[in-house]
Each structure stands twice: as C-alpha cells, then as structure tokens.
Coordinates of all heavy atoms in Angstrom, one line a residue:
M4 N 0.8 -1.2 0.0 CA 0.0 0.1 0.0 C 0.8 1.2 0.0 O 1.8 1.3 0.9 CB -0.9 -0.1 1.3 CG -1.9 1.0 1.3 SD -3.0 1.0 2.7 CE -4.1 -0.2 2.1
S5 N 0.7 2.2 -0.9 CA 1.6 3.4 -1.0 C 1.1 4.5 0.1 O 0.0 4.4 0.6 CB 1.3 3.9 -2.4 OG 0.0 4.5 -2.6
E6 N 2.0 5.3 0.3 CA 1.8 6.4 1.4 C 0.6 7.2 1.0 O 0.0 7.8 1.9 CB 3.0 7.2 1.6 CG 4.3 6.4 2.2 CD 5.3 6.1 1.1 OE1 5.4 7.0 0.2 OE2 5.8 5.1 1.1
Q7 N 0.4 7.5 -0.4 CA -0.8 8.5 -0.7 C -2.1 7.9 -0.3 O -3.1 8.6 0.0 CB -0.8 8.6 -2.3 CG 0.4 9.3 -2.8 CD 1.4 8.2 -3.4 OE1 1.3 7.1 -3.2 NE2 2.3 8.8 -4.3
H8 N -2.2 6.5 -0.3 CA -3.5 5.9 0.0 C -3.7 5.5 1.5 O -4.6 5.0 1.9 CB -3.9 4.7 -0.9 CG -3.7 5.0 -2.3 ND1 -4.5 5.8 -2.9 CD2 -2.8 4.6 -3.3 CE1 -4.3 5.9 -4.2 NE2 -3.2 5.3 -4.4
L9 N -2.6 5.7 2.3 CA -2.7 5.3 3.7 C -3.3 6.4 4.5 O -2.7 7.5 4.6 CB -1.2 5.0 4.1 CG -1.0 4.4 5.5 CD1 -1.6 3.0 5.4 CD2 0.5 4.4 5.8
V10 N -4.3 6.0 5.1 CA -5.1 7.1 5.9 C -4.8 6.6 7.4 O -5.2 5.6 7.8 CB -6.6 7.1 5.6 CG1 -7.3 8.1 6.6 CG2 -6.8 7.4 4.2
L11 N -4.1 7.6 8.1 CA -3.8 7.4 9.6 C -4.8 8.2 10.4 O -4.6 9.5 10.3 CB -2.3 7.7 9.9 CG -1.2 6.9 8.9 CD1 0.1 7.5 9.2 CD2 -1.4 5.5 9.3
V12 N -5.6 7.6 11.2 CA -6.4 8.3 12.0 C -5.9 8.2 13.5 O -5.8 7.2 14.0 CB -7.8 7.6 12.0 CG1 -8.8 8.3 12.9 CG2 -8.3 7.5 10.7
P13 N -5.7 9.4 14.1 CA -5.2 9.4 15.4 C -6.2 8.9 16.4 O -7.5 9.2 16.2 CB -4.9 10.9 15.8 CG -5.3 11.6 14.6 CD -5.8 10.8 13.5
R14 N -5.8 8.1 17.4 CA -6.8 7.5 18.4 C -6.7 8.5 19.6 O -5.6 8.5 20.3 CB -6.5 6.2 18.8 CG -6.9 5.2 17.7 CD -6.8 3.7 18.0 NE -7.3 3.4 19.3 CZ -8.7 3.1 19.6 NH1 -9.5 3.1 18.5 NH2 -9.1 2.7 20.7
L15 N -7.7 9.2 19.9 CA -7.7 10.1 21.1 C -8.3 9.5 22.3 O -9.7 9.7 22.5 CB -8.3 11.4 20.7 CG -7.6 12.1 19.5 CD1 -8.3 13.3 19.1 CD2 -6.2 12.4 19.8
S16 N -7.6 8.8 23.1 CA -8.2 8.1 24.3 C -7.5 8.6 25.4 O -6.5 9.4 25.4 CB -8.1 6.6 24.2 OG -6.7 6.2 24.2
E17 N -7.9 8.3 26.6 CA -7.3 8.6 27.8 C -5.7 8.2 28.0 O -4.9 9.0 28.3 CB -7.9 8.2 29.0 CG -7.5 8.7 30.4 CD -8.5 8.3 31.5 OE1 -9.5 7.9 31.3 OE2 -8.0 8.6 32.7
K18 N -5.5 7.0 27.5 CA -4.2 6.4 27.4 C -3.3 7.1 26.4 O -2.1 7.4 26.7 CB -4.3 4.9 27.2 CG -2.9 4.3 27.3 CD -3.1 2.7 27.1 CE -1.7 2.1 27.3 NZ -1.8 0.6 27.2
A19 N -3.9 7.4 25.2 CA -3.1 8.0 24.2 C -2.7 9.4 24.6 O -1.6 9.8 24.2 CB -4.0 8.1 23.0
T20 N -3.6 10.1 25.3 CA -3.3 11.6 25.6 C -2.3 11.5 26.8 O -1.3 12.4 26.8 CB -4.4 12.4 26.1 OG1 -5.1 11.6 27.1 CG2 -5.4 12.6 25.0
A21 N -2.2 10.4 27.6 CA -1.1 10.3 28.6 C 0.3 9.9 28.0 O 1.3 10.5 28.4 CB -1.5 9.3 29.6
L22 N 0.2 9.2 26.9 CA 1.5 8.8 26.2 C 2.0 10.0 25.4 O 3.2 10.0 25.1 CB 1.2 7.6 25.3 CG 0.9 6.3 25.9 CD1 0.5 5.3 24.7 CD2 2.2 5.8 26.6
A23 N 1.2 10.9 25.1 CA 1.7 12.1 24.3 C 2.8 12.9 25.0 O 3.7 13.5 24.5 CB 0.5 13.0 23.9
S24 N 2.7 12.8 26.4 CA 3.7 13.5 27.2 C 5.1 12.8 27.1 O 6.2 13.5 27.3 CB 3.3 13.7 28.6 OG 3.2 12.4 29.2
K25 N 5.0 11.5 26.7 CA 6.3 10.8 26.5 C 6.8 10.8 25.1 O 7.5 9.9 24.6 CB 6.1 9.3 26.9 CG 5.9 9.3 28.5 CD 5.6 7.8 28.8 CE 5.2 7.7 30.3 NZ 4.9 6.3 30.6
R26 N 6.1 11.6 24.2 CA 6.4 11.7 22.7 C 6.0 10.4 22.0 O 6.6 10.1 21.0 CB 7.9 12.1 22.5 CG 8.4 13.3 23.2 CD 9.8 13.7 23.0 NE 10.1 13.8 21.6 CZ 9.8 15.1 21.0 NH1 9.2 16.1 21.6 NH2 10.2 15.2 19.7
Q27 N 5.0 9.7 22.5 CA 4.4 8.6 21.8 C 2.9 8.9 21.4 O 2.2 9.5 22.2 CB 4.4 7.4 22.8 CG 5.7 6.9 23.1 CD 5.7 5.5 23.9 OE1 4.7 5.4 24.6 NE2 6.7 4.7 23.8
Y28 N 2.6 8.6 20.2 CA 1.2 8.8 19.7 C 0.7 7.6 19.1 O 1.5 6.7 18.7 CB 1.3 9.9 18.6 CG 1.9 11.2 19.1 CD1 3.3 11.5 19.2 CD2 1.0 12.2 19.7 CE1 3.7 12.8 19.7 CE2 1.6 13.3 20.3 CZ 2.9 13.6 20.2 OH 3.2 14.8 20.9
V29 N -0.7 7.5 19.2 CA -1.3 6.3 18.7 C -2.2 6.6 17.5 O -3.0 7.6 17.5 CB -2.3 5.7 19.9 CG1 -2.9 4.5 19.5 CG2 -1.4 5.6 21.1
F30 N -2.1 5.7 16.5 CA -2.8 5.9 15.3 C -3.7 4.7 15.0 O -3.0 3.6 15.1 CB -2.0 6.3 14.1 CG -1.4 7.6 14.2 CD1 -0.2 7.9 14.9 CD2 -2.0 8.8 13.7 CE1 0.4 9.1 15.1 CE2 -1.4 10.1 13.8 CZ -0.2 10.2 14.5
K31 N -4.9 4.7 14.4 CA -5.6 3.6 13.9 C -5.1 3.5 12.4 O -5.2 4.5 11.6 CB -7.1 3.7 13.9 CG -7.8 2.6 13.6 CD -9.3 2.8 13.8 CE -10.0 1.6 13.3 NZ -11.6 1.8 13.4
V32 N -4.6 2.4 12.0 CA -4.1 2.2 10.6 C -4.8 1.0 9.9 O -5.5 0.2 10.7 CB -2.7 1.9 10.6 CG1 -1.8 3.0 11.2 CG2 -2.3 0.7 11.4
P33 N -4.9 0.9 8.6 CA -5.4 -0.2 7.9 C -4.7 -1.5 8.2 O -3.6 -1.5 8.6 CB -5.2 0.1 6.4 CG -5.0 1.6 6.4 CD -4.5 2.0 7.7
A34 N -5.4 -2.6 8.2 CA -5.0 -3.9 8.6 C -3.9 -4.5 7.8 O -3.1 -5.3 8.2 CB -6.2 -4.8 8.6
T35 N -3.6 -4.0 6.5 CA -2.6 -4.4 5.6 C -1.2 -3.6 5.7 O -0.3 -4.0 5.1 CB -3.0 -4.4 4.3 OG1 -3.5 -3.0 3.8 CG2 -4.3 -5.4 4.1
T36 N -1.3 -2.6 6.5 CA 0.0 -1.8 6.6 C 1.0 -2.5 7.5 O 0.8 -3.2 8.4 CB -0.4 -0.4 7.2 OG1 -0.9 -0.4 8.4 CG2 -1.2 0.4 6.3
N37 N 2.4 -2.1 7.2 CA 3.4 -2.5 8.1 C 4.1 -1.3 8.8 O 3.7 -0.2 8.5 CB 4.4 -3.5 7.4 CG 4.9 -2.8 6.2 OD1 5.1 -1.5 6.2 ND2 5.3 -3.6 5.2
K38 N 5.2 -1.5 9.6 CA 5.8 -0.6 10.3 C 6.5 0.4 9.4 O 6.5 1.6 9.6 CB 6.9 -1.1 11.2 CG 6.4 -1.8 12.4 CD 7.5 -2.3 13.1 CE 6.9 -3.2 14.4 NZ 8.0 -3.7 15.3
I39 N 7.1 0.0 8.3 CA 7.8 0.9 7.3 C 7.0 1.8 6.7 O 7.2 3.0 6.6 CB 8.7 -0.1 6.3 CG1 9.6 -0.9 7.0 CG2 9.2 0.9 5.4 CD1 10.3 -2.0 6.2
E40 N 5.8 1.4 6.2 CA 4.8 2.2 5.5 C 4.2 3.2 6.5 O 4.1 4.5 6.1 CB 3.6 1.4 4.9 CG 4.0 0.4 4.0 CD 2.9 -0.6 3.5 OE1 1.9 -0.8 4.3 OE2 2.9 -1.0 2.4
V41 N 3.9 2.9 7.8 CA 3.5 3.8 8.7 C 4.5 5.0 9.0 O 4.2 6.2 9.0 CB 3.1 3.2 10.1 CG1 2.8 4.1 11.2 CG2 1.9 2.2 9.9
K42 N 5.8 4.5 9.2 CA 6.9 5.5 9.4 C 7.0 6.6 8.3 O 7.0 7.8 8.4 CB 8.1 4.8 9.7 CG 9.3 5.7 10.0 CD 10.5 4.9 10.4 CE 11.6 5.8 10.7 NZ 12.9 5.1 11.0
K43 N 6.9 6.0 7.1 CA 7.1 6.8 5.9 C 6.0 7.8 5.7 O 6.1 9.1 5.4 CB 7.2 6.0 4.6 CG 8.6 5.4 4.4 CD 8.8 4.6 3.2 CE 10.0 3.9 3.0 NZ 10.1 3.1 1.8
A44 N 4.8 7.4 6.0 CA 3.5 8.1 5.7 C 3.5 9.3 6.8 O 3.2 10.4 6.5 CB 2.3 7.3 5.8
L45 N 3.8 8.9 8.1 CA 3.8 9.9 9.1 C 4.9 11.0 9.0 O 4.7 12.2 9.3 CB 3.9 9.3 10.6 CG 2.7 8.7 11.0 CD1 2.9 7.8 12.4 CD2 1.6 9.7 11.3
E46 N 6.1 10.6 8.7 CA 7.2 11.5 8.4 C 6.8 12.5 7.2 O 7.1 13.7 7.4 CB 8.5 10.8 8.1 CG 9.1 10.2 9.3 CD 10.3 9.5 9.1 OE1 10.7 9.1 8.0 OE2 11.0 9.1 10.1
K47 N 6.1 12.0 6.2 CA 5.7 12.8 5.1 C 4.5 13.8 5.4 O 4.5 14.9 5.2 CB 5.4 12.0 3.9 CG 5.1 12.8 2.6 CD 4.8 11.8 1.6 CE 4.4 12.5 0.3 NZ 4.2 11.7 -0.9
Q48 N 3.5 13.2 6.1 CA 2.4 13.9 6.5 C 2.6 15.0 7.6 O 2.0 16.2 7.5 CB 1.3 12.9 7.1 CG 0.0 13.6 7.3 CD -1.1 12.5 7.7 OE1 -0.8 11.3 7.6 NE2 -2.2 12.9 8.1
Y49 N 3.4 14.7 8.6 CA 3.5 15.7 9.7 C 5.0 16.4 9.8 O 5.1 17.3 10.5 CB 3.3 15.0 11.0 CG 1.9 14.6 11.4 CD1 1.4 13.3 11.1 CD2 1.0 15.5 11.7 CE1 0.2 12.9 11.5 CE2 -0.3 15.2 12.0 CZ -0.7 13.9 11.8 OH -2.1 13.5 12.0
G50 N 5.8 15.9 9.0 CA 7.2 16.6 8.9 C 7.9 16.3 10.1 O 8.6 17.3 10.6
V51 N 8.0 15.1 10.7 CA 8.7 14.8 11.9 C 9.5 13.6 11.7 O 9.4 12.8 10.8 CB 7.7 14.5 13.1 CG1 6.8 15.8 13.5 CG2 6.8 13.4 12.8
K52 N 10.6 13.4 12.6 CA 11.4 12.3 12.6 C 11.0 11.2 13.6 O 10.7 11.7 14.7 CB 12.9 12.8 13.0 CG 13.8 11.6 12.9 CD 14.1 11.3 11.5 CE 15.3 10.2 11.4 NZ 15.2 9.4 10.4
I53 N 10.8 10.0 13.1 CA 10.2 9.0 14.0 C 11.4 8.0 14.3 O 12.0 7.4 13.4 CB 9.2 8.2 13.3 CG1 7.9 9.2 13.1 CG2 8.6 7.1 14.0 CD1 6.8 8.7 12.3
S54 N 11.4 7.7 15.7 CA 12.5 6.7 16.1 C 12.0 5.3 16.1 O 12.9 4.5 15.8 CB 13.1 7.2 17.5 OG 11.9 7.1 18.5
S55 N 10.8 5.1 16.4 CA 10.3 3.6 16.5 C 8.7 3.6 16.2 O 8.0 4.5 16.5 CB 10.7 3.0 17.7 OG 9.9 3.5 18.8
V56 N 8.4 2.5 15.8 CA 6.9 2.2 15.5 C 6.6 0.8 16.0 O 7.4 -0.2 15.6 CB 6.6 2.2 14.0 CG1 5.1 1.9 13.7 CG2 6.9 3.5 13.4
N57 N 5.6 0.7 16.8 CA 5.1 -0.6 17.3 C 3.6 -0.8 16.9 O 2.8 0.1 16.8 CB 5.1 -0.6 18.8 CG 6.4 -0.5 19.4 OD1 7.3 -1.1 18.9 ND2 6.5 0.1 20.6
I58 N 3.4 -1.9 16.3 CA 2.0 -2.3 15.6 C 1.3 -3.3 16.6 O 1.9 -4.2 16.9 CB 2.2 -3.0 14.3 CG1 2.9 -2.0 13.4 CG2 0.9 -3.4 13.7 CD1 2.1 -0.9 12.8
I59 N 0.1 -3.1 16.8 CA -0.8 -3.8 17.7 C -2.0 -4.3 16.9 O -2.7 -3.4 16.5 CB -1.0 -3.2 19.0 CG1 0.3 -2.7 19.7 CG2 -1.8 -4.0 19.9 CD1 0.1 -1.6 20.6
R60 N -2.3 -5.4 16.9 CA -3.6 -5.9 16.3 C -4.6 -6.1 17.4 O -4.4 -7.0 18.3 CB -3.5 -7.1 15.6 CG -4.7 -7.7 14.9 CD -4.4 -8.9 14.0 NE -3.5 -8.5 12.8 CZ -4.0 -8.1 11.7 NH1 -5.3 -7.9 11.6 NH2 -3.2 -7.9 10.8
M61 N -5.8 -5.3 17.4 CA -6.7 -5.3 18.5 C -7.9 -6.2 18.0 O -8.3 -6.0 16.9 CB -7.2 -3.9 18.8 CG -6.2 -3.1 19.2 SD -5.2 -3.5 20.8 CE -6.7 -3.2 21.8
D62 N -8.3 -7.1 18.8 CA -9.5 -8.0 18.5 C -10.8 -7.2 18.7 O -10.8 -6.2 19.7 CB -9.6 -9.3 19.4 CG -8.5 -10.2 19.0 OD1 -8.0 -10.2 17.7 OD2 -8.0 -10.9 19.8
G63 N -11.9 -7.5 18.0 CA -13.1 -6.8 18.3 C -13.8 -7.4 19.5 O -13.6 -8.5 19.9
K64 N -14.4 -6.4 20.3 CA -15.0 -6.7 21.6 C -16.4 -7.3 21.3 O -17.2 -6.8 20.4 CB -15.1 -5.6 22.5 CG -13.7 -5.1 22.9 CD -13.8 -4.0 23.9 CE -12.4 -3.5 24.3 NZ -12.4 -2.5 25.3
R65 N -16.8 -8.3 22.1 CA -18.2 -8.8 22.0 C -19.1 -7.8 22.7 O -18.8 -7.4 23.9 CB -18.2 -10.1 22.7 CG -17.3 -11.2 22.0 CD -17.6 -12.6 22.5 NE -16.7 -13.5 21.9 CZ -16.9 -14.1 20.8 NH1 -18.0 -13.8 20.0 NH2 -16.0 -15.0 20.2
V66 N -20.2 -7.7 22.3 CA -21.2 -6.8 22.7 C -22.6 -7.4 22.6 O -22.8 -8.3 21.8 CB -21.3 -5.4 22.1 CG1 -20.0 -4.6 22.4 CG2 -21.5 -5.5 20.6
S67 N -23.6 -7.0 23.4 CA -24.9 -7.5 23.3 C -25.8 -6.4 23.2 O -25.7 -5.4 23.8 CB -25.2 -8.4 24.5 OG -25.2 -7.7 25.6
F68 N -26.9 -6.5 22.3 CA -27.9 -5.5 22.1 C -29.2 -6.2 22.5 O -29.8 -6.9 21.6 CB -27.9 -5.0 20.7 CG -26.6 -4.4 20.2 CD1 -25.8 -5.1 19.4 CD2 -26.2 -3.2 20.7 CE1 -24.6 -4.7 19.0 CE2 -25.0 -2.6 20.2 CZ -24.2 -3.4 19.5
G69 N -29.6 -6.2 23.8 CA -30.8 -6.9 24.2 C -30.6 -8.4 24.1 O -29.7 -8.9 24.6
R70 N -31.2 -9.2 23.3 CA -31.0 -10.5 23.1 C -30.0 -10.9 22.1 O -29.6 -12.1 21.9 CB -32.3 -11.3 22.8 CG -33.2 -11.3 24.1 CD -34.3 -12.3 23.8 NE -35.5 -11.6 23.5 CZ -36.6 -12.1 22.9 NH1 -36.7 -13.5 22.8 NH2 -37.7 -11.5 22.6
R71 N -29.7 -10.0 21.2 CA -28.7 -10.2 20.1 C -27.4 -9.9 20.5 O -27.0 -9.0 21.1 CB -29.1 -9.2 18.9 CG -30.6 -9.4 18.3 CD -30.7 -8.7 17.1 NE -31.9 -8.9 16.6 CZ -32.4 -9.9 15.9 NH1 -31.6 -10.9 15.5 NH2 -33.7 -9.9 15.5
A72 N -26.5 -10.8 20.1 CA -25.0 -10.8 20.3 C -24.4 -10.3 19.2 O -24.7 -10.6 18.1 CB -24.4 -12.2 20.9
G73 N -23.3 -9.5 19.3 CA -22.5 -9.0 18.2 C -21.1 -8.9 18.6 O -20.7 -9.2 19.6
Q74 N -20.4 -8.2 17.6 CA -19.0 -8.0 17.9 C -18.6 -6.8 17.0 O -19.0 -6.6 15.9 CB -18.2 -9.2 17.3 CG -16.8 -9.2 17.7 CD -16.1 -10.5 17.4 OE1 -16.6 -11.4 16.9 NE2 -14.7 -10.5 17.7
H75 N -17.7 -5.9 17.8 CA -17.2 -4.8 17.1 C -16.0 -5.2 16.1 O -15.4 -6.2 16.4 CB -16.5 -3.8 18.1 CG -17.6 -3.0 19.0 ND1 -18.4 -2.0 18.4 CD2 -18.0 -3.1 20.2 CE1 -19.2 -1.5 19.2 NE2 -19.0 -2.2 20.5
S76 N -15.7 -4.4 15.2 CA -14.8 -4.8 14.2 C -13.3 -4.8 14.8 O -13.1 -4.0 15.6 CB -14.8 -3.8 13.1 OG -16.1 -4.0 12.3
A77 N -12.5 -5.7 14.4 CA -11.1 -5.7 14.9 C -10.3 -4.6 14.1 O -10.9 -4.2 12.9 CB -10.5 -7.1 14.6
F78 N -9.3 -4.2 14.6 CA -8.4 -3.1 14.0 C -7.1 -3.3 14.3 O -6.6 -4.0 15.2 CB -9.1 -1.7 14.3 CG -9.0 -1.4 15.7 CD1 -7.9 -0.6 16.1 CD2 -10.0 -1.7 16.6 CE1 -7.8 -0.3 17.5 CE2 -9.9 -1.4 18.0 CZ -8.9 -0.6 18.4
K79 N -6.2 -2.4 13.6 CA -4.8 -2.4 13.9 C -4.5 -1.0 14.4 O -4.8 0.0 13.7 CB -4.0 -2.8 12.7 CG -2.6 -3.0 12.9 CD -1.9 -3.4 11.5 CE -1.6 -4.7 11.4 NZ -0.6 -5.1 10.1
K80 N -3.6 -0.8 15.3 CA -3.1 0.4 15.7 C -1.6 0.5 15.8 O -0.9 -0.5 16.0 CB -3.7 0.9 17.0 CG -3.3 0.1 18.3 CD -4.0 0.7 19.5 CE -3.6 -0.1 20.8 NZ -4.3 0.4 21.9
A81 N -1.1 1.7 15.5 CA 0.3 1.8 15.6 C 0.7 2.9 16.7 O 0.1 3.9 16.8 CB 0.8 2.4 14.3
M82 N 1.7 2.6 17.6 CA 2.1 3.4 18.6 C 3.5 3.9 18.0 O 4.4 3.2 17.8 CB 2.4 2.7 19.9 CG 1.0 2.2 20.4 SD 1.2 1.5 22.1 CE 1.8 2.8 23.1
V83 N 3.6 5.2 17.9 CA 4.8 5.9 17.2 C 5.5 6.7 18.2 O 4.9 7.4 19.0 CB 4.2 6.7 16.1 CG1 5.4 7.5 15.5 CG2 3.4 5.9 15.1
T84 N 6.8 6.6 18.3 CA 7.7 7.3 19.2 C 8.5 8.3 18.4 O 9.2 7.9 17.4 CB 8.6 6.4 20.1 OG1 7.9 5.6 20.7 CG2 9.4 7.2 21.1
L85 N 8.4 9.5 18.7 CA 9.1 10.6 18.0 C 10.6 10.6 18.4 O 10.8 10.4 19.5 CB 8.4 12.0 18.1 CG 7.0 12.1 17.6 CD1 6.6 13.6 17.8 CD2 6.9 11.8 16.2
A86 N 11.5 11.0 17.5 CA 12.7 11.3 17.9 C 13.0 12.5 18.8 O 12.0 13.4 18.8 CB 13.7 11.5 16.6
A87 N 14.0 12.7 19.6 CA 14.2 13.7 20.4 C 14.3 15.1 19.8 O 13.9 16.1 20.3 CB 15.4 13.5 21.4
S88 N 14.8 15.0 18.5 CA 15.0 16.3 17.8 C 13.6 16.8 17.1 O 13.7 17.9 16.5 CB 16.0 16.1 16.7 OG 15.7 15.1 15.9
S89 N 12.6 16.0 17.0 CA 11.3 16.4 16.5 C 10.5 17.2 17.3 O 10.5 17.2 18.5 CB 10.5 15.1 16.0 OG 11.3 14.4 15.0
K90 N 9.6 17.9 16.6 CA 8.5 18.7 17.3 C 7.4 17.9 17.8 O 7.2 16.9 17.2 CB 8.1 19.9 16.5 CG 7.5 19.4 15.2 CD 7.0 20.6 14.3 CE 6.5 19.9 13.0 NZ 5.5 20.3 12.4
N91 N 6.5 18.2 18.8 CA 5.5 17.6 19.2 C 4.4 17.7 18.2 O 4.3 18.7 17.5 CB 4.9 18.0 20.6 CG 5.8 17.5 21.7 OD1 6.6 16.6 21.5 ND2 5.9 18.3 22.8
L92 N 3.5 16.6 18.0 CA 2.4 16.6 17.1 C 1.2 17.4 17.8 O 1.0 17.1 19.0 CB 2.0 15.3 16.6 CG 3.0 14.5 15.9 CD1 2.4 13.2 15.6 CD2 3.4 15.2 14.7
E93 N 0.4 18.2 17.1 CA -0.8 18.7 17.7 C -2.0 18.0 17.0 O -2.3 18.3 15.9 CB -0.8 20.3 17.2 CG 0.2 21.1 17.9 CD 0.2 21.1 19.4 OE1 -1.0 21.0 20.0 OE2 1.3 21.2 20.1
L94 N -2.5 17.1 17.7 CA -3.5 16.2 17.3 C -4.9 16.5 17.8 O -5.9 16.0 17.4 CB -3.3 14.7 17.5 CG -2.1 14.1 17.0 CD1 -1.8 12.7 17.4 CD2 -2.1 14.3 15.5
G95 N -4.9 17.4 18.8 CA -6.2 17.8 19.4 C -6.2 17.1 20.7 O -5.4 16.4 21.2
T96 N -7.3 17.2 21.4 CA -7.6 16.6 22.8 C -8.8 15.7 22.7 O -9.7 15.8 21.9 CB -7.7 17.6 23.9 OG1 -8.8 18.5 23.5 CG2 -6.5 18.5 24.0
A97 N -8.8 14.7 23.6 CA -10.0 13.8 23.6 C -11.1 14.4 24.4 O -10.9 15.3 25.3 CB -9.6 12.5 24.4
A98 N -12.3 14.3 24.0 CA -13.5 14.8 24.5 C -14.0 14.0 25.7 O -13.8 12.9 25.9 CB -14.5 15.0 23.5

C-alpha cells in the first residue's frame, strides 16, 4: 500500500493523551500496513522524525444488544515514538 492511500487516524483516548507527554502517539491504521509504511507516511504527513513504530492488532470486543449478540470490528493500531529532535504533534484533545 503506498503512502498516498494510507489514511492514519489518530486515536484520542485517555491512554493515548497520557502517552503524548512521552512523545508517543497512537494511530488507527489499515489492517494491511506494516511499520515501514506507517513511518514513511507519518514523516511525510507531519514533517517529523520517528524513532520507532510498534504495531498492535486489536480484537473486536463482544457486545450484546438486548437478546442479540454481536462483535465490534477488529482493527490495527500503531504506537509511534518521535525522535528527540522532532517537534510535538498537535492532534487535538480527547473529549
């Protein structure tokens, strides 16, 4: 998958905002991407230097709606650590 078609959505959760103080940011990424593609896309999109990328595959959670059982979709997220020489990212705050 090329960087032009890679859409990286920041995950703004309580844990993700706490990690931002450690220069780590969390993004939801397509299931077919790898670490190299995520690093190239973020460096191009935000103009920062990235020191490491960790990829985590999250399973969908089981939920129930009355008598019906269902499951949320599984997804992949990337935890990105910025280099010390990079500026911080302004992604907004969680509501």
Side-chain angles (χ1 to χ4, degrees):
M4 183 176 284
S5 66
E6 295 104 38
Q7 297 102 338
H8 303 295
L9 189 63
V10 178
L11 302 173
V12 179
R14 289 193 41 92
L15 300 176
S16 63
E17 191 173 343
K18 184 176 181 179
T20 53
L22 286 173
S24 64
K25 297 178 182 177
R26 304 180 63 79
Q27 290 183 332
Y28 298 92
V29 182
F30 293 89
K31 185 175 179 182
V32 296
T35 58
T36 58
N37 59 29
K38 293 180 182 186
I39 297 167
E40 293 171 339
V41 170
K42 183 176 180 178
K43 286 180 182 178
L45 282 174
E46 286 179 344
K47 185 176 181 182
Q48 185 175 354
Y49 290 104
V51 294
K52 182 75 175 146
I53 295 174
S54 63
S55 69
V56 176
N57 295 323
I58 299 281
I59 303 153
R60 183 175 292 273
M61 302 295 293
D62 289 334
K64 293 186 178 182
R65 295 188 186 277
V66 293
S67 62
F68 303 102
R70 286 193 263 170
R71 299 195 183 271
Q74 187 170 359
H75 286 291
S76 298
F78 63 95
K79 190 184 253 191
K80 67 181 180 179
M82 294 182 66
V83 177
T84 304
L85 298 183
S88 61
S89 292
K90 59 181 174 142
N91 287 338
L92 297 180
E93 296 296 329
L94 299 176
T96 58

